[in-house]
Amino acid sequence: MDENNPRIRFPLFLAVDYEKTKCMDTIIYPLVYYKLNDESYLGILVGTDYQAVDKDIKGMKSTLSEYLLKQYKKFDDYTYMAIKEPRLKVVEIKIRPTYREKGGSYPLSYSLKVPITVVYGSNQRGYYECHMPFFNQSFYYYNSREFNSLVNHFATNILNNLSPEELNRLMTHPTPELDQVTLRVNFKRDYHNFRKYKPTYQTLARLADQYPHSKSVRKQTNAFPEAAWELEHKVEDLVEKLTKVRTSVLIVGNRGVGKSSVLKQAIKKISADVRKKKLELTFWQIMPQRITAASKYLGEWQETCEKLVDDLESANGILWVVDFVRLLQIGGEGPEDSVAAFLNSFLLQNKMKIVGEVTPQELESIKRLLPGFVENFQLITIEELPEDKIQGILDKIAAFSEKNLKVEMGKDALNFAYRLLLRYYPYESFPGKGVKFLAKCVSEAKLNISSRIEKSDVIEHFVNQSGMPELFLRDDLLLDTKDLNQYFVDRIIGQTSAVDQMTSVVKVFKAGLNNPNKPISTLIFAGPTGVGKTASAKALADYFFGKGQKRSPLVRIDMSEFQHPSQIARFIGSGREVGQLVQEIRERPFSVLLLDEVEKADPSIFDALLTVLDEGVLVDTFGRITNFRNTIIILTTNLGASNRKSIGFGGDDGGSYESAIASHFRPEFVNRIDGVVMFNALNAKNIEAITRKELKDLTKREGFIKREIQLQFSDALIQFLSSVGFDERYGARPLQRAIEYEVVAPLAKWLLAHNELKNCTLHIDYKKELLIKKNK
């Protein structure tokens, strides 16, 4: 090569030869900066493509230095800069502006002196370099006396290709200044040792967890393998989109169809290929709320997102967002200023990759709330598998359990579990609900040191999970209608029609004839206060769901708390806030929902309940479904009873109640109710029977059980409590207070004075005051 023949070149991207060297060194990059105004500076890093704008020089240098280091860690190479003592010079180039078109060139009548910023100096190889940072071009030369002519030559060639407008803009540039940015690199580090170096990504590591987890973590969290049985083609599709197409992906499907399994299996497969081929590709699992959880100040979570994207880019990572739709809920006041909206620009620029899971309803909500966001993703749709493939998956689970977990599953147990889940969990899909249920059965078997799961074990587990009695789960158990009727008669006194209606609900459900796409039953309990409406709801809840649940199966919501239209958000939920109704049913899907004094709620509440009564589901703004198909919904009302007393009207035909209900509620609301149950006013005999029942329940209290004390109550006491515990306006409601004040309080005082008493019977009488006597 002729030494006097300079060559134009772009910045050299040089890989490090780690095998030949063994020490750290510093690369100095010249920084040319311009003061744009009092609040901003433009910096151009000589020899690179990097530019930055900041409010001061210090911030600009810090930004560029951090970016250089990040690129160095990410790619294991860097842009090499060899000028030892760089100098800055502004050279004026005389040029004649010219318009160029296809038909020819049209020079203007005047010339311009265009200032060109150059950085030059001798390099470590013994010759000279000259950079024109604004054009990102450079050349080298061997004789310093050729500097001016070469600058003029190369600058003229560049400027001749610019339009007159572009030349005039160059004339307006402020005066440049020169500074420097440094990068510490390891010239001589052993290559293999460097490959073992794992950079830390502070923001990414703080907010997300690298996936796949270690084997020990997977064993602790999963009884069964994270396999995508019968969905292998979906796994391959996802792998191709993430690795070859390199795009963001959303997996769409109903709850339980296997979205998570497909995603986990794809990540494991990609990670295995990455390790084999020694590639740098990582996956990170994140809960969206962690992004904004620690933010205290305006703009802080946006800065966190930017750092997260930078770290993700440095780690060559793909972000797995759990609960994807929550991205639209957090950050601002609505979806338009949410975290999802902020990340949209990064997705458009292909600066980050996201993978997530959504239901079809959530997908439609995202499209409606944040148009264009879904366009950044390719979609993979998963439909529920046919029955034969589901049975095959359950057989594989049983085989795995027997071989690896040493717990055998009988075929009868598998088939029975499938049937139960098919009927009582219609809102979830197979195989997800089957895997989840059987995993819990296996866990219980191992805790109980059992080596086999039988049909009885499946029943026991389902009873504990749902609270349903075994009667509803087994077809071979027949319903004893006499015992059923007696159960409600003992608990609901003086309300024959209510007993008939509730026994009818039980019979329909036992026969399997209830509509599976609606709540089990929807009833209105109408009647004056204090006649047993709430007690009836509790009795029904205990019968249906009271066998295994730790919490009460009765969900009671006082509708008088929702009398204003603005309170519908507190009832159902709005945006990121979950309403009381949704929260209660999500926690107790098998329950009796009692909406007490429903007529006092704002009419907008009734409109919101139409879908619940008709389809048994409630879909919120973000497409999340709350299912009511395993609930019995009871609405209580006093409509039509305002001018009546609670005693002495036991023969009322209920016509006034029905007309009051029909006039208060809209027809489309009433038409969705399965039945209206009329509660009669109580008579004296009913009050006495209720008093006996309440006194009998006293013996179940802990203090009497521990002391093994039995109680006997005189007729005089019962008559006294019946008279003071009943009010014509409030019915039998004051009876509980009367028993607590007239019986429980004096009895507690007497027992404390006779603390030695145990295993005896106390006779309790009333003659102007409570009389307590120990029977011999």
Side-chain angles (χ1 to χ4, degrees):
M1 182 183 66
D2 187 354
E3 291 184 353
N4 295 319
N5 183 21
R7 297 186 176 184
I8 190 165
R9 65 177 175 82
F10 289 89
L12 178 65
F13 208 57
L14 187 68
V16 184
D17 185 358
Y18 291 106
E19 308 221 331
K20 295 181 180 178
T21 58
K22 279 193 175 183
C23 65
M24 294 293 293
D25 207 344
T26 301
I27 297 179
I28 300 174
Y29 295 90
L31 174 65
V32 175
Y33 64 89
Y34 303 85
K35 185 177 181 180
L36 301 179
N37 51 52
D38 291 339
E39 296 181 352
S40 60
Y41 290 80
L42 167 66
I44 302 175
L45 200 61
V46 177
T48 74
D49 296 327
Y50 309 145
Q51 300 181 10
V53 175
D54 212 312
K55 61 181 179 181
D56 54 39
I57 304 301
K58 184 178 179 181
M60 179 194 304
K61 290 174 66 176
S62 176
T63 299
L64 290 169
S65 179
E66 289 176 2
Y67 191 75
L68 282 171
L69 182 61
K70 181 180 72 174
Q71 296 299 99
Y72 174 50
K73 290 179 178 179
K74 178 178 178 180
F75 297 109
D76 185 19
D77 51 14
Y78 52 89
T79 304
Y80 187 68
M81 171 55 61
I83 299 179
K84 292 186 289 187
E85 295 181 2
R87 285 176 285 178
L88 175 70
K89 186 174 183 178
V90 178
V91 180
E92 290 190 340
I93 304 298
K94 188 175 181 180
I95 195 80
R96 189 172 183 180
T98 301
Y99 286 104
R100 290 177 174 80
E101 297 178 357
K102 291 183 178 179
S105 300
Y106 308 96
L108 300 182
S109 59
Y110 60 89
S111 296
L112 297 174
K113 288 186 178 181
V114 180
I116 301 296
T117 302
V118 296
V119 175
Y120 66 101
S122 61
N123 62 27
Q124 298 171 356
R125 299 182 179 91
Y127 48 89
Y128 301 93
E129 288 188 42
C130 179
H131 294 261
M132 292 178 281
F134 199 82
F135 302 108
N136 195 23
Q137 295 199 23
S138 63
F139 60 88
Y140 54 86
Y141 58 101
Y142 296 91
N143 191 333
S144 61
R145 288 176 294 181
E146 296 178 344
F147 171 76
N148 289 328
S149 60
L150 291 173
V151 169
N152 188 75
H153 169 75
F154 284 110
T156 300
N157 285 340
I158 294 170
L159 296 177
N160 276 333
N161 292 313
L162 301 181
S163 67
E165 290 79 12
E166 291 171 324
L167 292 173
N168 278 290
R169 281 198 292 271
L170 290 175
M171 301 283 292
T172 63
H173 284 183
T175 303
E177 299 288 344
L178 185 65
D179 207 319
Q180 66 183 31
V181 173
T182 60
L183 172 66
R184 294 272 292 172
V185 297
N186 192 338
F187 277 171
K188 303 184 178 182
R189 177 169 46 185
D190 180 78
Y191 175 75
H192 297 292
N193 288 338
F194 182 76
R195 294 300 295 177
K196 294 177 183 178
Y197 168 70
K198 292 185 178 180
T200 58
Y201 312 106
Q202 291 185 357
T203 302
L204 183 60
R206 176 171 58 86
L207 299 178
D209 300 314
Q210 194 162 359
Y211 196 89
H213 301 307
S214 64
K215 288 185 179 180
S216 60
V217 173
R218 291 200 296 270
K219 285 182 180 179
Q220 292 174 8
T221 56
N222 297 299
F224 297 140
E226 296 173 345
W229 288 312
E230 304 294 344
L231 294 172
E232 290 81 3
H233 60 294
K234 296 294 183 181
V235 174
E236 293 298 330
D237 191 11
L238 180 57
V239 169
E240 182 177 0
K241 283 178 166 50
L242 292 177
T243 56
K244 296 180 181 179
V245 184
R246 295 287 290 174
T247 184
S248 296
V249 181
L250 277 181
I251 306 174
V252 185
N254 290 322
R255 184 180 174 189
V257 294
K259 301 188 295 295
S260 296
S261 297
V262 167
L263 181 51
K264 290 175 181 178
Q265 198 64 21
I267 292 176
K268 287 173 67 177
K269 187 169 185 178
I270 294 170
S271 299
D273 289 342
V274 164
R275 287 192 296 270
K276 282 181 185 177
K277 299 175 182 178
K278 297 183 179 179
L279 302 174
E280 295 295 333
L281 180 63
T282 58
F283 288 88
W284 300 81
Q285 189 181 49
I286 189 171
M287 296 292 292
Q289 53 268 39
R290 293 177 69 176
I291 297 174
T292 57
S295 299
K296 299 178 182 177
Y297 310 109
L298 186 65
E300 190 172 357
W301 68 261
Q302 290 90 337
E303 183 180 354
T304 300
C305 285
E306 291 173 347
K307 291 180 179 177
L308 179 66
V309 172
D310 287 343
D311 281 357
L312 202 63
E313 190 176 11
S314 297
N316 199 19
I318 296 175
L319 197 64
W320 173 10
V321 179
V322 182
D323 194 7
F324 183 84
V325 74
R326 193 174 286 273
L327 285 175
L328 281 74
Q329 298 176 256
I330 59 172
E333 293 297 324
E336 66 282 351
D337 55 359
S338 63
V339 170
F342 186 79
L343 295 178
N344 194 41
S345 61
F346 295 104
L347 290 166
L348 284 170
Q349 297 171 44
N350 212 26
K351 287 188 175 181
M352 70 181 303
K353 302 289 186 298
I354 291 178
V355 62
E357 312 159 48
V358 293
T359 64
Q361 295 82 5
E362 289 173 341
L363 181 65
E364 291 304 315
S365 297
I366 295 170
K367 288 180 178 179
R368 184 183 72 253
L369 296 170
L370 194 60
F373 184 62
V374 175
E375 305 304 320
N376 298 305
F377 298 84
Q378 289 198 16
L379 305 181
I380 295 177
T381 302
I382 301 177
E383 303 291 345
E384 185 167 3
L385 295 170
E387 183 177 347
D388 59 330
K389 292 188 176 182
I390 294 171
Q391 293 286 2
I393 291 174
L394 296 181
D395 290 339
K396 290 178 180 179
I397 291 173
F400 177 88
S401 176
E402 183 176 357
K403 181 179 179 181
N404 299 86
L405 305 176
K406 310 304 178 187
V407 177
E408 186 181 354
M409 294 185 191
K411 188 64 177 176
D412 288 346
L414 280 179
N415 292 336
F416 193 69
Y418 174 79
R419 189 173 66 80
L420 287 179
L421 295 170
L422 188 65
R423 177 180 179 185
Y424 295 109
Y425 282 88
Y427 46 87
E428 287 188 49
S429 298
F430 282 107
K433 59 184 177 183
V435 173
K436 185 166 59 176
F437 181 81
L438 293 177
K440 291 179 180 178
C441 290
V442 169
S443 297
E444 285 188 4
K446 292 180 75 68
L447 286 174
N448 297 328
I449 318 176
S450 174
S451 60
R452 182 176 175 84
I453 296 174
E454 301 287 358
K455 181 179 177 180
S456 58
D457 300 314
V458 171
I459 293 173
E460 182 181 357
H461 180 73
F462 199 89
V463 168
N464 291 333
Q465 182 171 303
S466 66
M468 286 186 174
E470 201 171 328
L471 171 71
F472 289 147
L473 309 180
R474 291 175 52 184
D475 293 336
D476 57 318
L477 291 181
L478 300 179
L479 178 65
D480 189 322
T481 55
K482 185 177 180 180
D483 288 347
L484 172 66
N485 191 73
Q486 192 61 45
Y487 173 89
F488 287 105
V489 167
D490 290 343
R491 287 161 179 77
I492 306 168
I493 296 170
Q495 304 296 346
T496 305
S497 62
V499 170
D500 291 342
Q501 183 70 52
M502 283 184 281
T503 56
S504 175
V505 171
V506 173
K507 292 172 185 177
V508 170
F509 188 75
K510 170 61 178 173
L513 299 180
N514 61 297
N515 189 336
N517 298 316
K518 292 181 65 176
I520 295 172
S521 185
T522 305
L523 304 170
I524 290 181
F525 284 2
T529 187
V531 295
K533 297 190 294 296
T534 301
S536 299
K538 187 177 185 306
L540 192 60
D542 289 340
Y543 189 89
F544 259 89
F545 310 112
K547 301 304 178 186
Q549 296 192 71
K550 295 180 180 179
R551 298 181 61 185
S552 169
L554 179 66
V555 175
R556 181 183 178 276
I557 299 178
D558 186 355
M559 300 304 289
S560 64
E561 297 178 4
F562 306 99
Q563 298 186 26
H564 194 272
S566 63
Q567 293 172 320
I568 190 172
R570 187 162 61 86
F571 179 62
I572 292 177
S574 176
R576 71 191 70 174
E577 299 297 330
V578 177
Q580 183 180 352
L581 175 67
V582 171
Q583 181 176 347
E584 293 281 8
I585 298 303
R586 284 180 182 173
E587 291 176 357
R588 287 177 280 180
F590 291 87
S591 61
V592 169
L593 173 62
L594 177 63
L595 302 180
D596 208 8
E597 298 185 298
V598 68
E599 76 279 2
K600 295 183 180 179
D602 185 80
S604 61
I605 300 286
F606 308 143
D607 295 336
L609 289 174
L610 288 177
T611 306
V612 175
L613 301 179
D614 195 37
E615 301 176 11
V617 294
L618 184 65
V619 184
D620 69 6
T621 309
F622 295 95
R624 293 168 305 185
I625 296 176
T626 303
N627 196 283
F628 291 77
R629 291 174 181 170
N630 284 322
T631 63
I632 298 172
I633 300 177
I634 295 175
L635 302 86
T636 70
T637 178
N638 296 331
L639 289 171
S642 57
N643 296 322
R644 298 176 178 273
K645 298 178 182 179
S646 294
I647 191 167
F649 291 89
D652 182 70
D653 62 1
S656 61
Y657 294 119
E658 290 182 339
S659 61
I661 291 169
S663 61
H664 183 83
F665 297 107
R666 289 164 53 188
E668 55 266 38
F669 182 83
V670 176
N671 288 340
R672 285 169 169 81
I673 302 297
D674 295 331
V676 178
V677 182
M678 304 301 175
F679 279 74
N680 301 320
L682 300 173
N683 56 38
K685 186 177 180 181
N686 298 147
I687 297 300
E688 185 176 317
I690 294 172
T691 303
R692 292 183 183 277
K693 176 181 174 297
E694 294 295 330
L695 289 175
K696 183 181 178 181
D697 289 343
L698 282 184
T699 59
K700 300 176 184 178
R701 298 197 179 184
E702 183 182 2
F704 298 119
I705 294 174
K706 285 197 305 184
R707 293 179 173 88
E708 298 180 355
I709 293 177
Q710 300 297 319
L711 301 177
Q712 291 180 351
F713 304 100
S714 68
D715 292 340
L717 175 64
I718 292 170
Q719 291 173 6
F720 168 71
L721 291 174
S722 298
S723 61
V724 300
F726 182 82
D727 185 275
E728 291 186 348
R729 290 175 301 168
Y730 302 115
R733 198 172 295 274
L735 181 61
Q736 281 283 359
R737 292 195 299 271
I739 291 174
E740 293 294 325
Y741 181 76
E742 301 289 351
V743 178
V744 175
L747 190 54
K749 185 177 179 181
W750 189 90
L751 284 174
L752 290 175
H754 301 78
N755 196 41
E756 73 285 353
L757 282 180
K758 286 185 180 180
N759 193 18
C760 63
T761 300
L762 299 180
H763 181 78
I764 305 173
D765 194 5
Y766 186 84
K767 293 180 180 178
K768 296 186 179 180
E769 63 179 9
L770 198 70
L771 301 177
I772 304 169
K773 184 175 70 172
K774 176 185 174 184
N775 287 354
K776 294 182 181 180

